[in-house]
Amino acid sequence: MAAAQGHFSDHSDGDRGTDETADSTEANPVPPAFRRAVEALRSARLRSEIEIDPTRPPQRLAPYAYAVEAAVVDGEEDLADGRLVLLHDPDGHEAWKGTFRLVTLVRAELEPEMAADPLLPEVCWSWLTGALEARGLSYEEASGTVTMAGSHYFGGLADRRPATQIEIRASWTPREGPAGVPDTAAHLAAWCDLLCQIAGLPPAPADPGAGTVAGAGVVSLPQRRGPQQA
């Protein structure tokens, strides 16, 4: 299993987005709830097909933010990729209905026959909610978009097949547990389930150590090739 890492920002310095910004200072200490949520993210156990790396978090969406980017890799091909951002506002956010928010972007290239399915956007959205529910996670205020964009190639690229990319942009409020900290490790694992699902991988076997059944109640796309590079 891969270990999740990442960068997070406490806005104590707009030019800094690395782990050093997490260190508490007298002027702007990092809230304990946010620190524990980040530590749980870093300790999450993920499928071997997932490659996860740190990325700079957004600076103005919330007082505290942490971000990772990941890809589903088959050999040298990226079958799907995305970014997950954990936001925290200790004072709460009216639109979130909580103090934490998860924001994601997931994308993958589809085979033409899959892209022709008019119900695919609804199915893709159900993969997100299904991934959360399969791991027994409670959440609120889920919202987002599913976008399909087609590409046709001409001239020197005319030998390529038409391609369709699907993109899921979404956010949701994780239910907070003891001490006001959500189970961010489980939310990250569910998000990786979504990545694997949109990449066309079969569900992972049950993981007794995680206390969940990965892929329960979810239907995967057939396996397919990854995005072609320009």
Side-chain angles (χ1 to χ4, degrees):
M1 295 288 184
Q5 298 293 329
H7 291 164
F8 59 112
S9 168
D10 65 1
H11 287 193
S12 59
D13 185 334
D15 293 331
R16 296 186 298 170
T18 61
D19 288 347
E20 286 77 6
T21 62
D23 295 335
S24 297
T25 66
E26 292 183 2
N28 192 9
V30 173
F34 179 66
R35 184 176 294 279
R36 285 195 289 270
V38 169
E39 288 172 351
L41 276 176
R42 287 173 162 169
S43 68
R45 293 182 298 163
L46 309 177
R47 290 180 59 166
S48 60
E49 298 93 342
I50 295 285
E51 291 188 357
I52 192 162
D53 292 301
T55 188
R56 186 178 180 87
Q59 298 292 304
R60 295 180 177 83
L61 295 181
Y64 301 89
Y66 175 94
V68 295
E69 58 185 6
V72 179
V73 178
D74 179 16
E76 296 185 356
E77 289 186 327
D78 286 358
L79 303 181
D81 61 70
R83 183 166 87 143
L84 183 68
V85 180
L86 174 68
L87 304 176
H88 179 54
D89 186 339
D91 296 328
H93 195 293
E94 183 178 357
W96 300 353
K97 291 184 167 44
T99 62
F100 285 90
R101 188 76 170 171
L102 285 160
V103 181
T104 186
L105 163 67
V106 172
R107 59 197 171 195
E109 186 179 307
L110 303 178
E111 293 286 358
E113 57 271 20
M114 300 172 190
D117 185 350
L119 297 179
L120 188 61
E122 288 83 357
V123 170
C124 287
W125 181 257
S126 74
W127 288 343
L128 170 61
T129 58
L132 295 170
E133 292 161 6
R135 289 187 176 268
L137 295 169
S138 297
Y139 61 93
E140 298 180 276
E141 302 302 316
S143 61
T145 61
V146 177
T147 304
M148 295 172 59
S151 298
H152 294 263
Y153 300 96
F154 301 94
L157 300 176
D159 58 340
R160 289 193 175 187
R161 299 173 60 188
T164 300
Q165 185 180 76
I166 193 156
E167 180 180 275
I168 303 173
R169 292 179 180 268
S171 62
W172 65 95
T173 299
R175 180 72 57 83
E176 296 172 13
V181 182
D183 189 351
T184 50
H187 280 272
L188 175 59
W191 178 72
C192 288
D193 291 343
L194 170 65
L195 269 179
C196 291
Q197 183 121 11
I198 200 171
L201 297 187
D207 180 0
T212 59
V213 179
V218 210
V219 178
S220 295
L221 283 175
Q223 290 186 334
R224 60 183 184 277
R225 70 182 190 281
Q228 296 178 346
Q229 301 298 319

